[in-house]
Amino acid sequence: MPRITTVPPHPRPGLMHRRGVLLFAFAFAVMADPVSSVAYAIEAALRALHGDLALLLPTMALVVGIVVLVIVNYHQLVARYPQGGGAAAATGEAFGEGAAFIPIGALIVDFVLTIAISSAAGASAVIAFVPALAPWRVLIAVLLVAVVAGGTWFGHLGRTVFAVMTVAFIALAVAVLVSGLFVDPRPAGTTSADPGHSPLVAVALAFPVAMALATGIEAPSSAIAQLGQLDDPGRRRFGRVTLWLTLGVVGTITLALTAQAVRLGIGVPHEDTTQVAELARAATSTPVFAAFQLTTALLLLSAASSSFQAGPGLFKALARHRHADGT
């Protein structure tokens, strides 16, 4: 009688490795950088406009329009390079390996500055709620960098934690927006009706500063190299979903917060606070404001983590890139 053997069923993936959880962790952790830019890009634009709130919404609308074009570009790059590399891989293939160092250098600077700016902004968010901590600003920022660097050692679990931080900020931002619809204007900070130039020139000069909102848009095209458990179609799908989800979240929150800041009259804040903090203070109760500041600080940590993920992902993708002759 022939011997019958049975093949044990393939073990079901654990919760942390199921496709939906993996997509949640990847998408919301990687999008943290552009989402966090909302916390300072609107204020940066207003400062460049010399506090002219009337020009703030057109400026941010122009920035969101450019972000749409960037997303469309990276949508194509993710399709062409599902193993990662993004703009650097495309440049190298089109113009030679030497030319690839231009986007590589730009991205390295972007990753380093994102970590530094996010940590500094996170420290400012903490100080905005507890002003007595102002003398410890630098120490707080350095400690935040150390915390983020440590969190990235936990791989997918770390990404999940940072993704939860991002979702928490989005939820509190929605709460601030909804609450702000039912309060009367509460002017705060410094405003002006004179941007220093004609409206068109003022918007053009503020635009480069406001483009801080676009930092991290390229991250999915590099970070997908870290998804070794997926095949090329899976990485392509994850990258594209993340790009368009990022646009929906960032575009909506940016324009909504900008419109609310204009309606409530929230101008350029003093040095120990931020515009988004003053907006939340004017629009919500103290407990919600406290929660919003906490989630803002956590979001900025998550943004720094996205650079810790995208940087190695970029180098990993480029290191395994092969020429047409197989070398």
Side-chain angles (χ1 to χ4, degrees):
M1 179 179 295
R3 184 176 180 180
I4 299 177
T5 59
T6 58
V7 178
H10 186 75
R12 296 180 63 186
L15 175 63
M16 297 303 295
H17 295 282
R18 291 179 182 174
R19 190 62 66 96
V21 177
L22 186 63
L23 176 59
F24 168 84
F26 176 79
F28 284 97
V30 171
M31 79 165 62
D33 186 2
V35 172
S36 72
S37 299
V38 176
Y40 52 82
I42 300 174
E43 179 181 330
L46 185 60
R47 289 181 181 276
L49 292 168
H50 297 177
D52 191 338
L53 285 172
L55 295 178
L56 184 58
L57 188 56
T59 301
M60 298 313 299
L62 177 61
V63 170
V64 172
I66 297 299
V67 169
V68 172
L69 297 180
V70 175
I71 292 287
V72 171
N73 177 62
Y74 276 99
H75 177 86
Q76 300 301 322
L77 287 176
V78 167
R80 179 66 179 82
Y81 303 99
Q83 294 186 346
T91 302
E93 185 172 311
F95 303 105
E97 292 185 352
F101 282 93
I102 297 175
I104 290 173
L107 288 172
I108 291 174
V109 172
D110 178 39
F111 297 150
V112 172
L113 289 179
T114 294
I115 294 171
I117 293 173
S118 296
S119 299
S124 295
V126 173
I127 293 170
F129 185 67
V130 187
L133 296 177
W136 305 97
R137 183 185 300 271
V138 175
L139 179 59
I140 292 172
V142 172
L143 289 175
L144 293 179
V145 172
V147 168
V148 173
T152 58
W153 279 90
F154 293 93
H156 183 56
L157 177 60
R159 280 199 298 266
T160 303
V161 172
F162 290 124
V164 171
M165 293 179 180
T166 304
V167 172
F169 171 82
I170 294 172
L172 266 296
V174 171
V176 169
L177 290 170
V178 172
S179 178
L181 296 175
F182 303 97
V183 300
D184 295 325
R186 301 178 183 180
T190 302
T191 60
S192 171
D194 180 15
H197 303 277
S198 66
L200 186 61
V201 173
V203 171
L205 293 175
F207 171 75
V209 178
M211 277 301 293
L213 186 70
T215 60
I217 293 296
E218 84 294 329
S221 69
S222 298
I224 53 175
Q226 302 282 47
L227 298 174
Q229 62 270 66
L230 299 179
D231 55 11
D232 283 357
R235 283 190 290 269
R236 184 180 294 114
R237 188 178 307 110
F238 271 43
R240 284 180 157 182
V241 169
T242 301
L243 284 169
W244 291 106
L245 188 59
T246 298
L247 175 62
V249 171
V250 173
T252 301
I253 292 180
T254 297
L255 295 180
L257 286 176
T258 301
Q260 191 170 96
V262 173
R263 190 182 78 82
L264 297 181
I266 309 299
V268 178
H270 60 80
E271 63 180 7
D272 288 333
T273 186
T274 63
Q275 185 191 29
V276 71
E278 293 308 303
L279 173 59
R281 195 195 305 272
T284 63
S285 60
T286 299
V288 177
F289 168 67
F292 180 78
Q293 287 303 101
L294 174 61
T295 56
T296 300
L298 293 177
L299 170 70
L300 292 162
L301 297 187
S302 184
S305 79
S306 71
S307 288
F308 276 112
Q309 296 176 63
L314 173 66
F315 294 127
K316 180 178 179 181
L318 296 179
R320 68 187 182 193
H321 179 69
R322 293 182 178 274
H323 298 284
D325 60 3
T327 59

